[in-house]
Amino acid sequence: MKNKPIIAGNWKMNKSNLEAKSFVSDIQNRILDKGDTKVIFCPPFTSLFTIVDTLKNSQFSVGAQNVHYEPHGAYTGEISIDMLASIGAKYVIIGHSERRHIFGESDAFINKKIIAVNKSNLIPIFCIGETLEQRNSGLTGKILKDQIEFGLKKIDSIDPDKFILAYEPVWAIGTGETASESQVEEAHLKIKLYLKTLFGSKGEQVPILYGGSVNEKNARPLINIDGVSGFLIGGASLKIDSFCEIINTVKKIKR
Ligand code: PGA
């Protein structure tokens, strides 16, 4: 694999500012050889600046969990792309299933964010994935295709160095149930194909992360699956031992 594997930690609504600072400082001390992997911390907005500051001069990166597509205005509670960029965030998660299902974000709404982020220097981590009901009805392929097509509508070209996709089956998120190796491989191959159809060889090169109950025990088999470029990790990214072990496992395997 020529590109560095990506390990992104999605902290969701967890950790105070102080906890965040001590967590990333500890990881910095424990992961000494950071060059082999791209590690991205996605904390809540409240600790973004602290983490960027703590990690300056390191090879770790920082991303936000959400963004609004408008540059400014009367959008109470929202944060713009420029605001994130101005404090040093480099990545932003878009279309996470919790945003889709709990906060009702539609493909069209997500598409507006992708269009805006694509014009900026932020790198989107665009999440897609099917529910259990959709999988059981044989709709996985169609759902992934639709989420890609609608989410990336009006996007003419994609730079694989500036775009990350995350396949996260909804039923595997936070449940302790990981998708099987064949399910992950099949989904990743389909996603690659859809991206290739839309964007040619550039689309085919987009890194595709797997997310959904990744932990220190299943990281090894999962990272070995064809088409898996890294992980988007929720629960296990909050535990220092688990997160470090996952980083070390990935470093050892993807050389
Ligand atoms: P999980 O969450 O690792 O806790 O399943 C993944 C995610 O929501 O990105």
Side-chain angles (χ1 to χ4, degrees):
M1 181 178 182
K2 75 174 167 42
N3 294 318
K4 285 183 194 173
I6 298 163
I7 303 169
N10 173 13
W11 289 6
K12 311 191 180 183
M13 198 170 72
N14 291 291
K15 293 196 193 293
S16 69
N17 198 32
L18 268 181
E19 288 165 345
K21 187 177 169 63
S22 90
F23 187 89
V24 294
S25 304
D26 284 355
I27 295 221
Q28 253 191 315
N29 294 333
R30 284 174 55 164
I31 305 288
L32 297 172
D33 173 18
K34 298 153 190 115
D36 302 342
T37 48
K38 201 180 271 180
V39 177
I40 307 165
F41 294 96
C42 301
F45 288 129
T46 45
S47 32
L48 267 177
F49 180 74
T50 303
I51 296 197
V52 168
D53 193 48
T54 309
L55 295 177
K56 63 174 182 277
N57 307 322
S58 87
Q59 288 178 46
F60 291 129
S61 303
V62 183
Q65 296 173 18
N66 191 20
V67 73
H68 198 274
Y69 52 84
E70 291 290 355
H72 47 74
Y75 299 98
T76 302
E78 293 295 324
I79 305 274
S80 76
I81 292 169
D82 282 354
M83 289 172 188
L84 292 179
S86 73
I87 60 137
K90 296 270 184 297
Y91 297 83
V92 61
I93 298 172
I94 296 182
H96 189 279
S97 75
E98 284 149 20
R99 300 288 331 161
R100 291 176 189 264
H101 298 291
I102 304 174
F103 300 101
E105 291 193 7
S106 64
D107 285 319
F109 188 70
I110 289 163
N111 177 236
K112 288 185 178 171
K113 297 186 187 200
I114 294 274
I115 291 172
V117 169
N118 209 38
K119 288 184 193 144
S120 77
N121 287 325
L122 280 186
I123 299 180
I125 303 175
F126 172 43
C127 302
I128 60 170
E130 81 289 357
T131 62
L132 190 57
E133 202 182 359
Q134 290 163 339
R135 175 164 283 275
N136 290 341
S137 315
L139 291 173
T140 301
K142 178 182 167 9
I143 294 297
L144 299 180
K145 187 166 183 273
D146 284 355
Q147 288 178 343
I148 289 173
E149 276 179 10
F150 296 131
L152 301 183
K153 220 169 165 178
K154 297 190 213 139
I155 300 276
D156 302 325
S157 64
I158 249 181
D159 177 350
D161 294 326
K162 287 196 65 201
F163 195 94
I164 299 171
L165 194 140
Y167 168 58
E168 299 202 303
V170 179
W171 48 274
I173 295 179
T175 57
E177 192 179 342
T178 322
S180 72
E181 289 167 41
S182 60
Q183 287 171 329
V184 175
E185 184 167 0
E186 197 186 338
H188 279 235
L189 286 177
K190 280 190 176 139
I191 292 166
K192 214 172 254 307
L193 188 72
Y194 301 146
L195 290 172
K196 187 181 174 189
T197 309
L198 288 177
F199 305 106
S201 65
K202 295 265 182 217
E204 206 181 3
Q205 289 166 42
V206 165
I208 307 171
L209 313 183
Y210 169 76
S213 297
V214 175
N215 58 40
E216 63 280 21
K217 295 191 185 76
N218 57 30
R220 184 180 299 270
L222 285 169
I223 200 67
N224 275 320
I225 298 170
D226 214 19
V228 173
S229 313
F231 299 132
L232 180 56
I233 307 170
S237 76
L238 297 168
K239 299 180 217 144
I240 196 143
D241 288 341
S242 307
F243 198 55
C244 286
E245 208 174 318
I246 295 169
I247 296 171
N248 285 328
T249 300
V250 171
K251 276 190 347 184
K252 266 184 233 144
I253 295 196
K254 295 264 170 180
R255 291 254 166 219

